[in-house]
Amino acid sequence: MTHWVTVTLSIACSLTIWTFASAQEVSTGSPDTTGDAIGFQRLVLSDQYYCDGVASGDIDGDGDLDIVAGPFWYEGPEFQVSHAFYEPVPLPPAESPSNSMFSFVADFSGDGRQDILVLGRVHKHEAVWYENPGTTDDLWQKHVAFHRVRGESPTMIDLDGDGVPQVICHWDGCWGSIQPDPSQPTQPWRFIRIGAPEDWPQFYHGQGVGDVNHDGRLDLILNDGWYEQPQIVAGNPQWKFHRGRFSQGRGGAQMFSQDIDGDGDQDVISAIDAHGWGLAWYEHVKTDTDPTFKEHLIMGDRSAIKQYGVAFTQPHALALADINGDGLPDIVTGKRRWAHGPDGDIEPAALPVVYWFELRREAGGVRYVPHMIDDASGVGVQILATDLNQDGRIDVATASKLGTFVFLQKP
């Protein structure tokens, strides 16, 4: 096991923070396609609570992926040097979530540099983006993007293929997206609705993007059904809504559409209750009209540990990635730390774990095998699974009320 001493030097005039992140070898003991065990090197980027989400992008333009979490971006590929792009204020973990729930990286200004969008709490904070000045020593200029972003798991993607990044959310009772005007990048963004008004809760759980009907166009997935993207989106036509609940519980976090069982159609992955128990995949069942989806549990409550291998509550952040290189999409998730304080929700004092669930297609069907990455970090509402150090292996990053963490995959 490797231990590095943590040293911090703050430079007041620039808010550049040099940190030698503590590192710890953590092995999950799971085989990859070469037969080697998969392990993870644990880096603690911060042991303070600043945010509930984490993202990545090449902030300084050097070709390496950097990490964004709360007010800091961390220089890749070692992530030992951090820079504040807005004033950092650590928060007490037992209290309410921060004003940085989600981070997204894109060039909003059009100057070739990667900017950062920060989404706060859905009922309190504006969505703002910070303009990359091209230097590492200054706080960044702040621009208001939109009043609020409704929904518990917004994502940013070019949904309609027009080259402009869009944040998927709901507003004034309608699902749709907010997006900037590239010709006026510093002006407030506009909301483009795709569906008819309904009474959607501002704290709606369970949303994502994927090609549900396998027609080559991205659809919007909700716990209550899915919006089908029309063939022509010019003129902002209303998208057809295919109603039918996935989870019968509260609903989960991020949702995904993938061919899980290898039969050629698109299935759906979701947490059952982002503040309770359960993880599932939903099998696409062909019908003469709309497809239906059959629930298959991946993880249940503690009474089902023997069947599924693990049980933890509050899987409020999900990602898909091929962790072991076998060509199949695995699930990365964990237990959210104190979503409603140390006395709220179910089992708030249980270990704050991070897991990856290995997808296996076997003669009897589909099976997910859980592998623990860590038990002392947990998740917030956004987890990152990508090749952070560009060595060909998928890494994981997470932010929670315990801090910001990176898990570099090592053979």
Side-chain angles (χ1 to χ4, degrees):
M1 184 174 291
T2 303
H3 296 281
W4 295 348
V5 178
T6 302
V7 180
T8 303
L9 172 61
S10 298
I11 304 174
C13 63
S14 65
L15 287 176
T16 299
I17 299 177
W18 299 77
T19 61
F20 292 90
S22 62
Q24 183 179 6
E25 296 290 345
V26 180
S27 176
T28 63
S30 55
D32 65 11
T33 55
T34 66
D36 296 328
I38 292 178
F40 290 88
Q41 181 186 28
R42 184 180 197 262
L43 305 179
V44 182
L45 305 193
S46 171
D47 62 1
Q48 300 292 311
Y49 173 47
Y50 290 101
C51 60
D52 297 84
V54 59
S56 65
D58 185 5
I59 302 298
D60 52 8
D62 64 355
D64 294 319
L65 280 181
D66 309 304
I67 290 176
V68 175
F72 298 107
W73 67 271
Y74 300 85
E75 292 184 20
E78 297 178 344
F79 314 111
Q80 296 182 20
V81 178
S82 64
H83 308 270
F85 62 94
Y86 67 84
E87 193 72 38
V89 179
L91 302 169
E95 296 182 7
S96 298
S98 78
N99 63 348
S100 176
M101 302 296 288
F102 295 85
S103 295
F104 299 101
V105 178
D107 179 11
F108 302 115
S109 65
D111 63 0
R113 294 189 290 265
Q114 297 293 292
D115 308 304
I116 300 172
L117 173 68
V118 177
L119 307 183
R121 300 181 69 192
V122 298
H123 65 303
K124 291 186 66 174
H125 301 117
E126 296 172 318
V128 297
W129 68 275
Y130 294 86
E131 186 173 356
N132 189 340
T135 62
T136 58
D137 296 338
D138 300 316
L139 296 181
W140 297 11
Q141 185 175 358
K142 173 182 174 181
H143 304 280
V144 174
F146 204 71
H147 318 287
R148 301 283 188 277
V149 173
R150 308 294 194 196
E152 286 278 315
S153 302
T155 188
M156 188 179 74
I157 193 171
D158 182 6
L159 182 63
D160 54 13
D162 65 354
V164 179
Q166 301 158 327
V167 175
I168 312 304
C169 61
H170 67 85
W171 183 252
D172 282 344
C174 298
W175 282 97
S177 65
I178 58 170
Q179 66 181 66
D181 180 352
S183 66
Q184 303 179 81
T186 61
Q187 295 300 305
W189 297 7
R190 61 179 180 141
F191 178 78
I192 301 175
R193 77 175 194 175
I194 63 173
E198 291 192 38
D199 186 20
W200 300 106
Q202 63 176 338
F203 299 106
Y204 188 87
H205 285 76
Q207 63 192 86
V209 171
D211 185 3
V212 177
N213 57 352
H214 216 203
D215 64 355
R217 296 185 294 272
L218 292 174
D219 308 304
L220 171 59
I221 311 169
L222 303 176
N223 190 53
D224 287 273
W226 58 284
Y227 281 98
E228 179 182 352
Q229 182 169 174
Q231 186 174 3
I232 299 174
V233 294
N236 300 329
Q238 185 168 306
W239 296 22
K240 181 180 179 180
F241 187 49
H242 301 261
R243 191 176 300 276
R245 286 183 68 85
F246 290 98
S247 164
Q248 297 304 308
R250 183 199 316 245
Q254 291 83 3
M255 300 179 70
F256 301 93
S257 180
Q258 289 282 335
D259 184 5
I260 300 302
D261 50 9
D263 64 356
D265 56 28
Q266 296 288 289
D267 310 301
V268 172
I269 294 170
S270 176
I272 293 174
D273 185 342
H275 294 284
W277 301 101
L279 185 66
W281 72 279
Y282 296 84
E283 180 184 0
H284 186 130
V285 180
K286 291 182 174 64
T287 64
D288 292 335
T289 55
D290 285 351
T292 59
F293 293 86
K294 179 181 178 181
E295 182 180 87
H296 299 272
L297 280 183
I298 300 170
M299 178 177 67
D301 60 20
R302 293 211 176 277
S303 68
I305 286 182
K306 185 175 181 180
Q307 182 176 0
Y308 301 111
V310 68
F312 55 85
T313 62
Q314 300 202 67
H316 210 305
L318 269 69
L320 285 191
D322 182 7
I323 297 294
N324 58 352
D326 64 356
L328 301 178
D330 307 306
I331 302 171
V332 183
T333 186
K335 177 180 174 62
R336 187 175 178 188
R337 178 69 166 180
W338 292 357
H340 300 108
D343 300 317
D345 300 306
I346 304 171
E347 296 194 348
L351 288 176
V353 295
V354 178
Y355 267 81
W356 72 278
F357 290 79
E358 176 190 0
L359 171 58
R360 294 183 182 177
R361 292 175 183 162
E362 301 173 338
V366 167
R367 183 165 67 101
Y368 278 92
V369 179
H371 305 280
M372 189 173 70
I373 297 175
D374 187 59
D375 64 358
S377 53
V379 302
V381 293
Q382 184 184 33
I383 192 169
L384 184 63
T386 191
D387 184 3
L388 289 169
N389 57 2
Q390 301 180 63
D391 65 352
R393 298 176 183 271
I394 298 296
D395 311 302
V396 174
T398 183
S400 73
K401 291 193 171 183
L402 292 171
T404 303
F405 306 87
V406 169
F407 304 95
L408 299 176
Q409 187 180 153
K410 301 291 183 181

